Amino acid sequence: NSIVKNELLKRLFEAEGEPVSGQEIADHYGLSRTAIWKYVKELEEEGYEIGTIRKKGYFLIKSPDRVNEANVQKYLTTKNYGKYIRYFETCSSTQIIAHEEAQNGALDGTVIISEEQTAGKGRMARPWSSVSGKGIWMSIIIRPTLTPQQAPQMTLVAAVAVTRAIQEMTGIDADIKWPNDILIGGKKITGILTELQSDPDQVKAIILGIGMNVNQDEEDFPDELHAIATSLKRVVGNPIDRAQLIAKILGFLELYTEMYEKHGFGPIKILWEGFSNTTGKRIRAVMLNETIVGTALGISNEGVLELKLDDGSIRGIYSADITI
Ligand code: BT5
């Protein structure tokens, strides 16, 4: 079963290339050495390269470029986030699976990750391109103590967490475009989708979807995205370890969510403003029923975008697509 296989993998990682005794694991679980050897073969089929030293055991040569539980968890420094990960080679949308898991009582910080999504979605059911093995397509189930009215602020909390993770991983300062886009050089690198399961006065779960373009080359993007999207690899020039980046995102997300719950939106607002490319700019806000143009003053203490219109009046924008 997969518990033993995960334990084997964990020990191989922890040993950092030193041999791990198959006999010892076999004894611990009351299994035969052949059973352990079968798990080794399964891991090799999944792309791990594992060597054998007679009488000493197995050692890890190389792990595959996969964002599975073991690869992500070896980098994790969090208390809760990512302690439980459900991993898929492919799925329709990690949001859909996360909603089901949340309904079934999944714990705070549960993460759904997929190598590929066949029906990845953005806001208002727009399609989200999620090619296999190149990006981070994940949904995190968060159970904070918040009212439904506060939930949109979680998009901004997540945007700050993702931007800090990109900064640590690559040294690049990305821009946050209110409310849910992260851009580098004006092109979209990450989109955030915040969905809710809620009672009238208390959030039950926030399903936070993060889609990040990491190792795509130009030809991995559909034509319609060439002008507006890019990947970290295209910006930095070399591939990025997605598993490590996921661990960093989860680390900052846990930190900032906790900060937000304890101290309110104030500290997040300060961080957010440091990364925003919207403040001070003349922008167009396209909403469901109208489009307005004005100068972005910044965000309010509630995370609402404040726009100064040409007649001098000030409008609070709760949800819109912004063009700068
Ligand atoms: C978003 O929506 O930006 C939120 C995207 C959230 C995706 C994640 S992936 C994990 C989880 N599971 C899901 O099914 N979804 C979440 P929005 O602001 O509405 O932007 C959508 C628009 O971004 C599309 O209409 C395209 O123009 C563009 N787009 C689509 N795929 C893209 C990509 N891979 N990179 C950059 N832009 C993209």
Side-chain angles (χ1 to χ4, degrees), residues 43-76:
L43 288 172
E44 285 179 340
E45 270 160 36
E46 290 165 24
Y48 291 90
E49 280 178 41
I50 295 167
T52 317
I53 304 176
R54 272 195 65 223
K55 300 225 167 87
K56 287 219 158 144
Y58 303 105
F59 62 100
L60 187 61
I61 302 168
K62 198 165 173 273
S63 21
D65 177 18
R66 284 281 179 277
V67 282
N68 56 21
E69 206 176 334
N71 275 355
V72 172
Q73 284 177 345
K74 74 174 168 179
Y75 293 113
L76 270 185

PDB file of all heavy atoms in Angstrom, residues 43-76:
ATOM      1  N   LEU A  43       8.383   2.957  -7.886  1.00  0.00           N
ATOM      2  CA  LEU A  43       8.941   4.316  -7.875  1.00  0.00           C
ATOM      3  C   LEU A  43       9.754   4.570  -9.142  1.00  0.00           C
ATOM      4  O   LEU A  43       9.700   5.651  -9.724  1.00  0.00           O
ATOM      5  CB  LEU A  43       9.804   4.535  -6.627  1.00  0.00           C
ATOM      6  CG  LEU A  43       9.036   4.648  -5.310  1.00  0.00           C
ATOM      7  CD1 LEU A  43       9.994   4.658  -4.120  1.00  0.00           C
ATOM      8  CD2 LEU A  43       8.173   5.914  -5.280  1.00  0.00           C
ATOM      9  N   GLU A  44      10.484   3.538  -9.585  1.00  0.00           N
ATOM     10  CA  GLU A  44      11.275   3.705 -10.812  1.00  0.00           C
ATOM     11  C   GLU A  44      10.366   3.942 -12.016  1.00  0.00           C
ATOM     12  O   GLU A  44      10.680   4.743 -12.896  1.00  0.00           O
ATOM     13  CB  GLU A  44      12.182   2.491 -11.029  1.00  0.00           C
ATOM     14  CG  GLU A  44      13.364   2.514 -10.065  1.00  0.00           C
ATOM     15  CD  GLU A  44      14.304   1.322 -10.191  1.00  0.00           C
ATOM     16  OE1 GLU A  44      13.885   0.278 -10.752  1.00  0.00           O
ATOM     17  OE2 GLU A  44      15.449   1.436  -9.711  1.00  0.00           O
ATOM     18  N   GLU A  45       9.214   3.250 -11.999  1.00  0.00           N
ATOM     19  CA  GLU A  45       8.264   3.480 -13.094  1.00  0.00           C
ATOM     20  C   GLU A  45       7.709   4.901 -13.065  1.00  0.00           C
ATOM     21  O   GLU A  45       7.362   5.460 -14.098  1.00  0.00           O
ATOM     22  CB  GLU A  45       7.104   2.473 -13.017  1.00  0.00           C
ATOM     23  CG  GLU A  45       7.383   1.207 -13.807  1.00  0.00           C
ATOM     24  CD  GLU A  45       6.501   0.048 -13.368  1.00  0.00           C
ATOM     25  OE1 GLU A  45       5.327   0.301 -13.032  1.00  0.00           O
ATOM     26  OE2 GLU A  45       7.004  -1.098 -13.355  1.00  0.00           O
ATOM     27  N   GLU A  46       7.658   5.492 -11.862  1.00  0.00           N
ATOM     28  CA  GLU A  46       7.176   6.876 -11.751  1.00  0.00           C
ATOM     29  C   GLU A  46       8.271   7.897 -12.057  1.00  0.00           C
ATOM     30  O   GLU A  46       8.044   9.096 -11.966  1.00  0.00           O
ATOM     31  CB  GLU A  46       6.641   7.124 -10.334  1.00  0.00           C
ATOM     32  CG  GLU A  46       5.344   6.381 -10.051  1.00  0.00           C
ATOM     33  CD  GLU A  46       5.021   6.329  -8.557  1.00  0.00           C
ATOM     34  OE1 GLU A  46       5.500   7.200  -7.797  1.00  0.00           O
ATOM     35  OE2 GLU A  46       4.299   5.387  -8.154  1.00  0.00           O
ATOM     36  N   GLY A  47       9.471   7.408 -12.390  1.00  0.00           N
ATOM     37  CA  GLY A  47      10.514   8.338 -12.815  1.00  0.00           C
ATOM     38  C   GLY A  47      11.631   8.561 -11.804  1.00  0.00           C
ATOM     39  O   GLY A  47      12.563   9.310 -12.075  1.00  0.00           O
ATOM     40  N   TYR A  48      11.538   7.924 -10.637  1.00  0.00           N
ATOM     41  CA  TYR A  48      12.645   8.034  -9.684  1.00  0.00           C
ATOM     42  C   TYR A  48      13.784   7.149 -10.163  1.00  0.00           C
ATOM     43  O   TYR A  48      13.551   6.061 -10.693  1.00  0.00           O
ATOM     44  CB  TYR A  48      12.208   7.591  -8.281  1.00  0.00           C
ATOM     45  CG  TYR A  48      11.228   8.533  -7.657  1.00  0.00           C
ATOM     46  CD1 TYR A  48       9.858   8.361  -7.844  1.00  0.00           C
ATOM     47  CD2 TYR A  48      11.672   9.616  -6.907  1.00  0.00           C
ATOM     48  CE1 TYR A  48       8.951   9.249  -7.293  1.00  0.00           C
ATOM     49  CE2 TYR A  48      10.763  10.502  -6.345  1.00  0.00           C
ATOM     50  CZ  TYR A  48       9.406  10.313  -6.550  1.00  0.00           C
ATOM     51  OH  TYR A  48       8.516  11.195  -6.006  1.00  0.00           O
ATOM     52  N   GLU A  49      15.034   7.628  -9.988  1.00  0.00           N
ATOM     53  CA  GLU A  49      16.183   6.754 -10.258  1.00  0.00           C
ATOM     54  C   GLU A  49      16.738   6.318  -8.918  1.00  0.00           C
ATOM     55  O   GLU A  49      17.109   7.135  -8.081  1.00  0.00           O
ATOM     56  CB  GLU A  49      17.261   7.516 -11.039  1.00  0.00           C
ATOM     57  CG  GLU A  49      16.955   7.611 -12.524  1.00  0.00           C
ATOM     58  CD  GLU A  49      18.024   8.419 -13.246  1.00  0.00           C
ATOM     59  OE1 GLU A  49      19.225   8.262 -12.936  1.00  0.00           O
ATOM     60  OE2 GLU A  49      17.634   9.228 -14.097  1.00  0.00           O
ATOM     61  N   ILE A  50      16.757   4.985  -8.714  1.00  0.00           N
ATOM     62  CA  ILE A  50      17.158   4.450  -7.414  1.00  0.00           C
ATOM     63  C   ILE A  50      18.265   3.432  -7.623  1.00  0.00           C
ATOM     64  O   ILE A  50      18.181   2.575  -8.502  1.00  0.00           O
ATOM     65  CB  ILE A  50      15.930   3.801  -6.719  1.00  0.00           C
ATOM     66  CG1 ILE A  50      14.898   4.898  -6.404  1.00  0.00           C
ATOM     67  CG2 ILE A  50      16.347   3.073  -5.433  1.00  0.00           C
ATOM     68  CD1 ILE A  50      13.552   4.387  -6.014  1.00  0.00           C
ATOM     69  N   GLY A  51      19.334   3.572  -6.864  1.00  0.00           N
ATOM     70  CA  GLY A  51      20.451   2.626  -6.955  1.00  0.00           C
ATOM     71  C   GLY A  51      20.391   1.624  -5.809  1.00  0.00           C
ATOM     72  O   GLY A  51      19.673   1.823  -4.833  1.00  0.00           O
ATOM     73  N   THR A  52      21.155   0.527  -5.963  1.00  0.00           N
ATOM     74  CA  THR A  52      21.189  -0.502  -4.927  1.00  0.00           C
ATOM     75  C   THR A  52      22.639  -0.768  -4.530  1.00  0.00           C
ATOM     76  O   THR A  52      23.505  -0.852  -5.392  1.00  0.00           O
ATOM     77  CB  THR A  52      20.602  -1.833  -5.465  1.00  0.00           C
ATOM     78  OG1 THR A  52      19.428  -1.542  -6.205  1.00  0.00           O
ATOM     79  CG2 THR A  52      20.273  -2.792  -4.340  1.00  0.00           C
ATOM     80  N   ILE A  53      22.879  -0.878  -3.242  1.00  0.00           N
ATOM     81  CA  ILE A  53      24.180  -1.351  -2.772  1.00  0.00           C
ATOM     82  C   ILE A  53      23.936  -2.649  -2.001  1.00  0.00           C
ATOM     83  O   ILE A  53      23.118  -2.665  -1.075  1.00  0.00           O
ATOM     84  CB  ILE A  53      24.872  -0.332  -1.835  1.00  0.00           C
ATOM     85  CG1 ILE A  53      24.996   1.024  -2.534  1.00  0.00           C
ATOM     86  CG2 ILE A  53      26.243  -0.836  -1.404  1.00  0.00           C
ATOM     87  CD1 ILE A  53      25.587   2.109  -1.651  1.00  0.00           C
ATOM     88  N   ARG A  54      24.629  -3.701  -2.400  1.00  0.00           N
ATOM     89  CA  ARG A  54      24.378  -5.004  -1.765  1.00  0.00           C
ATOM     90  C   ARG A  54      24.581  -4.922  -0.261  1.00  0.00           C
ATOM     91  O   ARG A  54      25.503  -4.285   0.227  1.00  0.00           O
ATOM     92  CB  ARG A  54      25.313  -6.064  -2.359  1.00  0.00           C
ATOM     93  CG  ARG A  54      24.692  -6.728  -3.605  1.00  0.00           C
ATOM     94  CD  ARG A  54      25.430  -8.011  -3.965  1.00  0.00           C
ATOM     95  NE  ARG A  54      25.278  -9.030  -2.937  1.00  0.00           N
ATOM     96  CZ  ARG A  54      26.291  -9.793  -2.514  1.00  0.00           C
ATOM     97  NH1 ARG A  54      27.498  -9.647  -2.995  1.00  0.00           N
ATOM     98  NH2 ARG A  54      26.064 -10.719  -1.593  1.00  0.00           N
ATOM     99  N   LYS A  55      23.681  -5.508   0.459  1.00  0.00           N
ATOM    100  CA  LYS A  55      23.693  -5.595   1.920  1.00  0.00           C
ATOM    101  C   LYS A  55      23.445  -4.253   2.622  1.00  0.00           C
ATOM    102  O   LYS A  55      23.271  -4.188   3.820  1.00  0.00           O
ATOM    103  CB  LYS A  55      25.028  -6.165   2.429  1.00  0.00           C
ATOM    104  CG  LYS A  55      25.315  -7.557   1.914  1.00  0.00           C
ATOM    105  CD  LYS A  55      25.810  -8.435   3.057  1.00  0.00           C
ATOM    106  CE  LYS A  55      25.810  -9.884   2.705  1.00  0.00           C
ATOM    107  NZ  LYS A  55      27.052 -10.323   2.041  1.00  0.00           N
ATOM    108  N   LYS A  56      23.425  -3.157   1.865  1.00  0.00           N
ATOM    109  CA  LYS A  56      23.224  -1.856   2.516  1.00  0.00           C
ATOM    110  C   LYS A  56      21.851  -1.278   2.223  1.00  0.00           C
ATOM    111  O   LYS A  56      21.251  -0.639   3.065  1.00  0.00           O
ATOM    112  CB  LYS A  56      24.306  -0.873   2.055  1.00  0.00           C
ATOM    113  CG  LYS A  56      25.655  -1.174   2.660  1.00  0.00           C
ATOM    114  CD  LYS A  56      26.358   0.106   3.006  1.00  0.00           C
ATOM    115  CE  LYS A  56      27.413  -0.104   4.045  1.00  0.00           C
ATOM    116  NZ  LYS A  56      28.583   0.739   3.835  1.00  0.00           N
ATOM    117  N   GLY A  57      21.409  -1.468   0.992  1.00  0.00           N
ATOM    118  CA  GLY A  57      20.070  -0.985   0.676  1.00  0.00           C
ATOM    119  C   GLY A  57      19.999  -0.114  -0.562  1.00  0.00           C
ATOM    120  O   GLY A  57      20.843  -0.195  -1.442  1.00  0.00           O
ATOM    121  N   TYR A  58      18.968   0.753  -0.572  1.00  0.00           N
ATOM    122  CA  TYR A  58      18.657   1.569  -1.743  1.00  0.00           C
ATOM    123  C   TYR A  58      19.062   3.016  -1.508  1.00  0.00           C
ATOM    124  O   TYR A  58      19.008   3.507  -0.396  1.00  0.00           O
ATOM    125  CB  TYR A  58      17.152   1.525  -2.020  1.00  0.00           C
ATOM    126  CG  TYR A  58      16.616   0.137  -2.210  1.00  0.00           C
ATOM    127  CD1 TYR A  58      15.864  -0.485  -1.221  1.00  0.00           C
ATOM    128  CD2 TYR A  58      16.879  -0.562  -3.388  1.00  0.00           C
ATOM    129  CE1 TYR A  58      15.374  -1.762  -1.393  1.00  0.00           C
ATOM    130  CE2 TYR A  58      16.395  -1.844  -3.575  1.00  0.00           C
ATOM    131  CZ  TYR A  58      15.645  -2.440  -2.569  1.00  0.00           C
ATOM    132  OH  TYR A  58      15.168  -3.705  -2.756  1.00  0.00           O
ATOM    133  N   PHE A  59      19.463   3.686  -2.581  1.00  0.00           N
ATOM    134  CA  PHE A  59      19.736   5.118  -2.451  1.00  0.00           C
ATOM    135  C   PHE A  59      19.143   5.879  -3.634  1.00  0.00           C
ATOM    136  O   PHE A  59      19.013   5.344  -4.732  1.00  0.00           O
ATOM    137  CB  PHE A  59      21.240   5.400  -2.310  1.00  0.00           C
ATOM    138  CG  PHE A  59      22.074   4.965  -3.499  1.00  0.00           C
ATOM    139  CD1 PHE A  59      22.474   5.897  -4.453  1.00  0.00           C
ATOM    140  CD2 PHE A  59      22.436   3.634  -3.660  1.00  0.00           C
ATOM    141  CE1 PHE A  59      23.244   5.498  -5.542  1.00  0.00           C
ATOM    142  CE2 PHE A  59      23.201   3.230  -4.756  1.00  0.00           C
ATOM    143  CZ  PHE A  59      23.610   4.157  -5.700  1.00  0.00           C
ATOM    144  N   LEU A  60      18.777   7.133  -3.355  1.00  0.00           N
ATOM    145  CA  LEU A  60      18.095   7.945  -4.362  1.00  0.00           C
ATOM    146  C   LEU A  60      19.114   8.676  -5.228  1.00  0.00           C
ATOM    147  O   LEU A  60      19.996   9.369  -4.728  1.00  0.00           O
ATOM    148  CB  LEU A  60      17.177   8.953  -3.662  1.00  0.00           C
ATOM    149  CG  LEU A  60      16.266   9.782  -4.554  1.00  0.00           C
ATOM    150  CD1 LEU A  60      15.309   8.880  -5.326  1.00  0.00           C
ATOM    151  CD2 LEU A  60      15.483  10.782  -3.716  1.00  0.00           C
ATOM    152  N   ILE A  61      18.999   8.477  -6.549  1.00  0.00           N
ATOM    153  CA  ILE A  61      19.893   9.167  -7.475  1.00  0.00           C
ATOM    154  C   ILE A  61      19.216  10.442  -7.987  1.00  0.00           C
ATOM    155  O   ILE A  61      19.814  11.511  -8.028  1.00  0.00           O
ATOM    156  CB  ILE A  61      20.262   8.256  -8.668  1.00  0.00           C
ATOM    157  CG1 ILE A  61      20.925   6.964  -8.149  1.00  0.00           C
ATOM    158  CG2 ILE A  61      21.180   8.981  -9.645  1.00  0.00           C
ATOM    159  CD1 ILE A  61      21.081   5.865  -9.184  1.00  0.00           C
ATOM    160  N   LYS A  62      17.949  10.327  -8.339  1.00  0.00           N
ATOM    161  CA  LYS A  62      17.287  11.471  -8.963  1.00  0.00           C
ATOM    162  C   LYS A  62      15.774  11.326  -8.793  1.00  0.00           C
ATOM    163  O   LYS A  62      15.251  10.228  -8.916  1.00  0.00           O
ATOM    164  CB  LYS A  62      17.614  11.455 -10.458  1.00  0.00           C
ATOM    165  CG  LYS A  62      17.383  12.740 -11.198  1.00  0.00           C
ATOM    166  CD  LYS A  62      18.094  12.691 -12.565  1.00  0.00           C
ATOM    167  CE  LYS A  62      17.743  13.899 -13.406  1.00  0.00           C
ATOM    168  NZ  LYS A  62      16.529  13.713 -14.191  1.00  0.00           N
ATOM    169  N   SER A  63      15.088  12.434  -8.489  1.00  0.00           N
ATOM    170  CA  SER A  63      13.626  12.350  -8.473  1.00  0.00           C
ATOM    171  C   SER A  63      13.054  13.009  -9.720  1.00  0.00           C
ATOM    172  O   SER A  63      13.658  13.914 -10.287  1.00  0.00           O
ATOM    173  CB  SER A  63      13.020  12.975  -7.218  1.00  0.00           C
ATOM    174  OG  SER A  63      13.879  13.863  -6.618  1.00  0.00           O
ATOM    175  N   PRO A  64      11.883  12.562 -10.155  1.00  0.00           N
ATOM    176  CA  PRO A  64      11.292  13.119 -11.374  1.00  0.00           C
ATOM    177  C   PRO A  64      10.773  14.518 -11.124  1.00  0.00           C
ATOM    178  O   PRO A  64      10.539  14.905  -9.980  1.00  0.00           O
ATOM    179  CB  PRO A  64      10.138  12.158 -11.660  1.00  0.00           C
ATOM    180  CG  PRO A  64       9.746  11.628 -10.335  1.00  0.00           C
ATOM    181  CD  PRO A  64      10.996  11.572  -9.524  1.00  0.00           C
ATOM    182  N   ASP A  65      10.603  15.272 -12.203  1.00  0.00           N
ATOM    183  CA  ASP A  65      10.041  16.611 -12.104  1.00  0.00           C
ATOM    184  C   ASP A  65       8.537  16.487 -11.918  1.00  0.00           C
ATOM    185  O   ASP A  65       7.762  16.639 -12.839  1.00  0.00           O
ATOM    186  CB  ASP A  65      10.392  17.382 -13.381  1.00  0.00           C
ATOM    187  CG  ASP A  65       9.780  18.772 -13.385  1.00  0.00           C
ATOM    188  OD1 ASP A  65       9.402  19.252 -12.301  1.00  0.00           O
ATOM    189  OD2 ASP A  65       9.673  19.361 -14.467  1.00  0.00           O
ATOM    190  N   ARG A  66       8.156  16.170 -10.691  1.00  0.00           N
ATOM    191  CA  ARG A  66       6.744  15.971 -10.366  1.00  0.00           C
ATOM    192  C   ARG A  66       6.413  16.773  -9.124  1.00  0.00           C
ATOM    193  O   ARG A  66       7.260  16.942  -8.246  1.00  0.00           O
ATOM    194  CB  ARG A  66       6.466  14.485 -10.074  1.00  0.00           C
ATOM    195  CG  ARG A  66       6.413  13.613 -11.307  1.00  0.00           C
ATOM    196  CD  ARG A  66       5.060  13.775 -11.990  1.00  0.00           C
ATOM    197  NE  ARG A  66       4.926  12.990 -13.199  1.00  0.00           N
ATOM    198  CZ  ARG A  66       5.379  13.373 -14.396  1.00  0.00           C
ATOM    199  NH1 ARG A  66       6.029  14.505 -14.518  1.00  0.00           N
ATOM    200  NH2 ARG A  66       5.182  12.618 -15.453  1.00  0.00           N
ATOM    201  N   VAL A  67       5.164  17.246  -9.055  1.00  0.00           N
ATOM    202  CA  VAL A  67       4.753  18.017  -7.877  1.00  0.00           C
ATOM    203  C   VAL A  67       3.888  17.148  -6.973  1.00  0.00           C
ATOM    204  O   VAL A  67       2.831  17.558  -6.507  1.00  0.00           O
ATOM    205  CB  VAL A  67       4.047  19.328  -8.266  1.00  0.00           C
ATOM    206  CG1 VAL A  67       5.080  20.361  -8.684  1.00  0.00           C
ATOM    207  CG2 VAL A  67       3.032  19.123  -9.392  1.00  0.00           C
ATOM    208  N   ASN A  68       4.340  15.921  -6.761  1.00  0.00           N
ATOM    209  CA  ASN A  68       3.589  15.002  -5.896  1.00  0.00           C
ATOM    210  C   ASN A  68       3.886  15.293  -4.419  1.00  0.00           C
ATOM    211  O   ASN A  68       4.763  16.095  -4.082  1.00  0.00           O
ATOM    212  CB  ASN A  68       3.874  13.551  -6.272  1.00  0.00           C
ATOM    213  CG  ASN A  68       5.352  13.231  -6.217  1.00  0.00           C
ATOM    214  OD1 ASN A  68       6.111  13.923  -5.554  1.00  0.00           O
ATOM    215  ND2 ASN A  68       5.763  12.191  -6.920  1.00  0.00           N
ATOM    216  N   GLU A  69       3.132  14.584  -3.584  1.00  0.00           N
ATOM    217  CA  GLU A  69       3.205  14.770  -2.138  1.00  0.00           C
ATOM    218  C   GLU A  69       4.645  14.732  -1.602  1.00  0.00           C
ATOM    219  O   GLU A  69       5.094  15.653  -0.919  1.00  0.00           O
ATOM    220  CB  GLU A  69       2.405  13.625  -1.527  1.00  0.00           C
ATOM    221  CG  GLU A  69       1.841  13.887  -0.193  1.00  0.00           C
ATOM    222  CD  GLU A  69       0.997  12.692   0.250  1.00  0.00           C
ATOM    223  OE1 GLU A  69       0.474  11.953  -0.616  1.00  0.00           O
ATOM    224  OE2 GLU A  69       0.888  12.502   1.463  1.00  0.00           O
ATOM    225  N   ALA A  70       5.371  13.668  -1.964  1.00  0.00           N
ATOM    226  CA  ALA A  70       6.715  13.496  -1.394  1.00  0.00           C
ATOM    227  C   ALA A  70       7.646  14.616  -1.845  1.00  0.00           C
ATOM    228  O   ALA A  70       8.404  15.168  -1.035  1.00  0.00           O
ATOM    229  CB  ALA A  70       7.279  12.142  -1.804  1.00  0.00           C
ATOM    230  N   ASN A  71       7.603  14.972  -3.123  1.00  0.00           N
ATOM    231  CA  ASN A  71       8.500  16.017  -3.633  1.00  0.00           C
ATOM    232  C   ASN A  71       8.211  17.373  -3.000  1.00  0.00           C
ATOM    233  O   ASN A  71       9.126  18.154  -2.742  1.00  0.00           O
ATOM    234  CB  ASN A  71       8.380  16.127  -5.158  1.00  0.00           C
ATOM    235  CG  ASN A  71       9.268  15.124  -5.874  1.00  0.00           C
ATOM    236  OD1 ASN A  71      10.049  14.408  -5.243  1.00  0.00           O
ATOM    237  ND2 ASN A  71       9.148  15.058  -7.185  1.00  0.00           N
ATOM    238  N   VAL A  72       6.940  17.679  -2.767  1.00  0.00           N
ATOM    239  CA  VAL A  72       6.590  18.963  -2.160  1.00  0.00           C
ATOM    240  C   VAL A  72       6.907  18.941  -0.664  1.00  0.00           C
ATOM    241  O   VAL A  72       7.512  19.868  -0.119  1.00  0.00           O
ATOM    242  CB  VAL A  72       5.090  19.289  -2.378  1.00  0.00           C
ATOM    243  CG1 VAL A  72       4.681  20.527  -1.582  1.00  0.00           C
ATOM    244  CG2 VAL A  72       4.799  19.490  -3.865  1.00  0.00           C
ATOM    245  N   GLN A  73       6.523  17.847  -0.011  1.00  0.00           N
ATOM    246  CA  GLN A  73       6.661  17.816   1.449  1.00  0.00           C
ATOM    247  C   GLN A  73       8.114  17.845   1.915  1.00  0.00           C
ATOM    248  O   GLN A  73       8.391  18.302   3.015  1.00  0.00           O
ATOM    249  CB  GLN A  73       5.895  16.618   2.013  1.00  0.00           C
ATOM    250  CG  GLN A  73       4.391  16.925   1.997  1.00  0.00           C
ATOM    251  CD  GLN A  73       3.512  15.793   2.461  1.00  0.00           C
ATOM    252  OE1 GLN A  73       3.963  14.658   2.547  1.00  0.00           O
ATOM    253  NE2 GLN A  73       2.254  16.091   2.735  1.00  0.00           N
ATOM    254  N   LYS A  74       9.033  17.420   1.067  1.00  0.00           N
ATOM    255  CA  LYS A  74      10.426  17.475   1.542  1.00  0.00           C
ATOM    256  C   LYS A  74      10.920  18.910   1.701  1.00  0.00           C
ATOM    257  O   LYS A  74      11.881  19.167   2.390  1.00  0.00           O
ATOM    258  CB  LYS A  74      11.345  16.658   0.639  1.00  0.00           C
ATOM    259  CG  LYS A  74      11.645  17.277  -0.689  1.00  0.00           C
ATOM    260  CD  LYS A  74      12.682  16.461  -1.443  1.00  0.00           C
ATOM    261  CE  LYS A  74      12.729  16.965  -2.866  1.00  0.00           C
ATOM    262  NZ  LYS A  74      13.679  16.321  -3.719  1.00  0.00           N
ATOM    263  N   TYR A  75      10.218  19.867   1.074  1.00  0.00           N
ATOM    264  CA  TYR A  75      10.601  21.282   1.220  1.00  0.00           C
ATOM    265  C   TYR A  75       9.738  22.044   2.221  1.00  0.00           C
ATOM    266  O   TYR A  75       9.988  23.217   2.486  1.00  0.00           O
ATOM    267  CB  TYR A  75      10.468  22.006  -0.123  1.00  0.00           C
ATOM    268  CG  TYR A  75      11.442  21.562  -1.186  1.00  0.00           C
ATOM    269  CD1 TYR A  75      11.000  20.903  -2.322  1.00  0.00           C
ATOM    270  CD2 TYR A  75      12.810  21.825  -1.066  1.00  0.00           C
ATOM    271  CE1 TYR A  75      11.874  20.506  -3.316  1.00  0.00           C
ATOM    272  CE2 TYR A  75      13.693  21.433  -2.049  1.00  0.00           C
ATOM    273  CZ  TYR A  75      13.220  20.774  -3.173  1.00  0.00           C
ATOM    274  OH  TYR A  75      14.090  20.392  -4.151  1.00  0.00           O
ATOM    275  N   LEU A  76       8.683  21.405   2.725  1.00  0.00           N
ATOM    276  CA  LEU A  76       7.709  22.154   3.526  1.00  0.00           C
ATOM    277  C   LEU A  76       8.256  22.582   4.881  1.00  0.00           C
ATOM    278  O   LEU A  76       8.966  21.836   5.545  1.00  0.00           O
ATOM    279  CB  LEU A  76       6.465  21.300   3.777  1.00  0.00           C
ATOM    280  CG  LEU A  76       5.322  21.367   2.780  1.00  0.00           C
ATOM    281  CD1 LEU A  76       4.167  20.541   3.315  1.00  0.00           C
ATOM    282  CD2 LEU A  76       4.871  22.786   2.507  1.00  0.00           C
TER     283      LEU A  76
END
